[in-house]
Amino acid sequence: MTQGRPLLNRRLAEFGTTIFAEMSALAVRTGSINLGQGFPDTDGPQEIREAAIRALRAGHGNQYPPGPGVPELRTAIADHQQRRYGLVHDPDTEVLVTAGATEAIAAALLALLEPGDEVIALEPYYDSYAACIAMAGGSRVPVTLHPDAATGTYRLDLDELRAAVTPRTRLILLNTPHNPTGTVLTRAELGAIAALACERDLLVVTDEVYEHLVLEGEHLPLAGFPGMRERTVTIGSAGKTYSFTGWKVGWVTASPELVTAVRSAKQFLTYVSAGPFQYAVAEALRLPDSYYDGLRAELRTKRDLLSDGLTEAGFEVYRPAGTYFVTTDIRPLGESDGFAFCRSLPERCGVVAIPNAVFYDHREQGAPFVRFAFCKRDDVLAEAVSRLKRL
């Protein structure tokens, strides 16, 4: 305490240590299998690691790279967006490289929000969304994705979304494929969101880091819908697609005006980062389609291995259409408090998971749900399933 005031400002007072740090530390302390934090337990393609080593040895990026990102990576990002989705971006004015998607989200919100602006986010949401909105002085307005036990999926209520828009709404913060529920928004849902944004003159920041981890359906960038090219900030990342989460290479694609705004905030956060890794990610973005097909096939196998095992262990399972997370309901096990369940799980059976309630403003709606990550080796998942069956 100084001058009678708490050291942490009021905007961040509600945010302590992230649940991911807490649960990963618990995994280490108890020697448990960590199915909580979403990082793979194997590295990505060998040729991409070698590309990073070549860049280091050649001195590429060992000093400050250009503020917007190295030209090779910006060009590769623009080529990727055009090849995959038919979206044309100028790599010099419409692409910005960031320190992972987390910085991209923070910079976008810091740049685009004024204090008091409302931000609609799909609940449950990745925990950094709430913190970034708070740091920007915005007010978050959650719209809840509702579980449907009959179909084993989560879905968006478009009427609820429309009702959440007020004169103070500045932007919608969208995430598809969605973490933690694994929902992949459909063409009809995205079309309705685009129409609403145009009708009410809203910006949209869309987090698409799981774009290549769609296991059912297809990924459709919101920027490709009518009227959305000039009002959408699209965020991508290399970490999830190529299994190099520690490299922290993300990016923004948008109109020149939006990129300029985001860059104005980003330059005072990290300025630049991950110099040599930027060159490697530029090569990764040009991997053949066979890489992405193999990645999805492998993740489907892992999803089904863990989902089937969780079902056999007594959980109600919501099988994801995307990402590498599976949400479960613990009430069939006689439990209802996800926090207590996850904190006791390592001692009970040597597995760590994440309570979904941390992703909700309406904590009671997320209380009985728990998230497991399946981006692990098959033998690790099989051992985790064996342990969970002790429940």
Side-chain angles (χ1 to χ4, degrees):
M1 298 286 288
T2 60
Q3 302 175 347
R5 285 174 49 183
L7 293 176
L8 184 63
N9 70 61
R10 282 178 294 177
R11 290 180 179 177
L12 292 176
E14 67 177 290
F15 307 105
T17 301
T18 73
I19 192 67
F20 304 106
E22 177 188 346
M23 301 311 293
S24 289
L26 183 59
V28 171
R29 188 165 68 250
T30 60
S32 297
I33 295 174
N34 188 354
L35 301 188
Q37 194 166 5
F39 59 86
D41 57 2
T42 56
D43 287 339
Q46 176 67 26
E47 63 265 39
I48 306 306
R49 281 189 288 171
E50 292 301 320
I53 293 169
R54 289 199 308 273
L56 281 165
R57 287 176 173 161
H60 295 158
N62 291 338
Q63 307 306 324
Y64 293 132
V70 302
E72 291 85 347
L73 177 54
R74 286 185 278 117
T75 298
I77 292 166
D79 290 347
H80 171 273
Q81 294 301 93
Q82 183 170 12
R83 183 174 69 255
R84 290 278 170 183
Y85 311 119
L87 296 172
V88 178
H89 290 283
D90 183 336
D92 293 326
T93 62
E94 298 186 314
V95 180
L96 174 66
V97 177
T98 60
T102 302
E103 186 193 38
I105 293 161
L109 296 177
L110 287 167
L112 300 175
L113 296 180
E114 294 285 359
D117 284 344
E118 291 180 350
V119 177
I120 294 173
L122 302 187
E123 178 186 62
Y125 45 70
Y126 183 54
D127 64 347
S128 78
Y129 293 0
C132 290
I133 292 168
M135 286 190 287
S139 175
R140 65 183 181 272
V141 178
V143 171
T144 307
L145 295 176
H146 299 287
D148 182 348
T151 62
T153 62
Y154 279 74
R155 292 267 51 102
L156 172 63
D157 185 328
L158 291 169
D159 290 333
E160 187 178 337
L161 176 66
R162 175 174 287 276
V165 178
T166 76
R168 295 174 58 193
T169 306
R170 170 67 165 169
L171 62 82
I172 299 172
L173 178 52
L174 202 62
N175 176 212
T176 184
H178 182 265
N179 173 20
T181 69
T183 299
V184 176
L185 295 178
T186 65
R187 183 179 295 275
E189 289 168 330
L190 290 167
I193 293 168
L196 178 62
C198 293
E199 175 191 331
R200 301 300 295 270
D201 193 23
L202 304 177
L203 298 172
V204 182
V205 174
T206 176
D207 176 355
E208 302 181 10
V209 301
Y210 296 100
E211 61 184 308
H212 292 296
L213 278 62
V214 174
L215 310 180
E216 310 292 343
E218 60 179 334
H219 175 66
L220 300 167
L222 189 69
F225 282 73
M228 296 308 295
R229 180 67 168 78
E230 302 305 316
R231 63 177 68 246
T232 303
V233 175
T234 302
I235 294 170
S237 172
K240 301 299 191 293
T241 300
Y242 306 110
S243 297
F244 291 116
T245 58
W247 289 9
K248 297 299 292 180
V249 179
W251 52 82
V252 163
T253 54
S255 68
E257 295 79 9
L258 284 170
V259 165
T260 297
V262 176
R263 187 173 64 238
S264 296
K266 181 263 187 295
Q267 68 187 341
F268 297 114
L269 296 175
T270 61
Y271 180 55
V272 293
S273 62
F277 298 135
Q278 291 190 34
Y279 292 91
V281 172
E283 294 194 27
L285 283 165
R286 294 192 167 94
L287 286 171
D289 289 348
S290 58
Y291 169 77
Y292 302 99
D293 294 340
L295 173 66
R296 286 189 291 269
E298 182 180 7
L299 285 173
R300 283 190 197 98
T301 298
K302 295 178 184 295
R303 176 198 62 182
D304 294 343
L305 192 164
L306 182 58
S307 296
D308 291 346
L310 288 166
T311 299
E312 292 170 12
F315 295 83
E316 184 173 304
V317 175
Y318 292 84
R319 197 172 297 247
T323 77
Y324 43 47
F325 303 109
V326 57
T327 290
T328 63
D329 189 333
I330 59 175
R331 284 175 290 191
L333 296 169
E335 306 273 357
S336 59
D337 183 342
F339 278 103
F341 180 83
C342 288
R343 286 171 175 145
S344 69
L345 196 59
E347 296 294 343
R348 293 172 67 183
C349 62
V351 177
V352 162
I354 297 291
N356 275 25
V358 300
F359 307 127
Y360 284 81
D361 276 18
H362 303 105
R363 289 291 176 98
E364 72 285 353
Q365 295 207 34
F369 299 102
V370 168
R371 189 194 83 175
F372 294 86
F374 55 85
C375 51
K376 311 296 180 180
R377 300 191 315 272
D378 289 356
D379 61 306
V380 172
L381 294 174
E383 175 60 22
V385 164
S386 176
R387 296 182 185 189
L388 287 164
K389 288 179 180 178
R390 300 174 194 169
L391 295 171

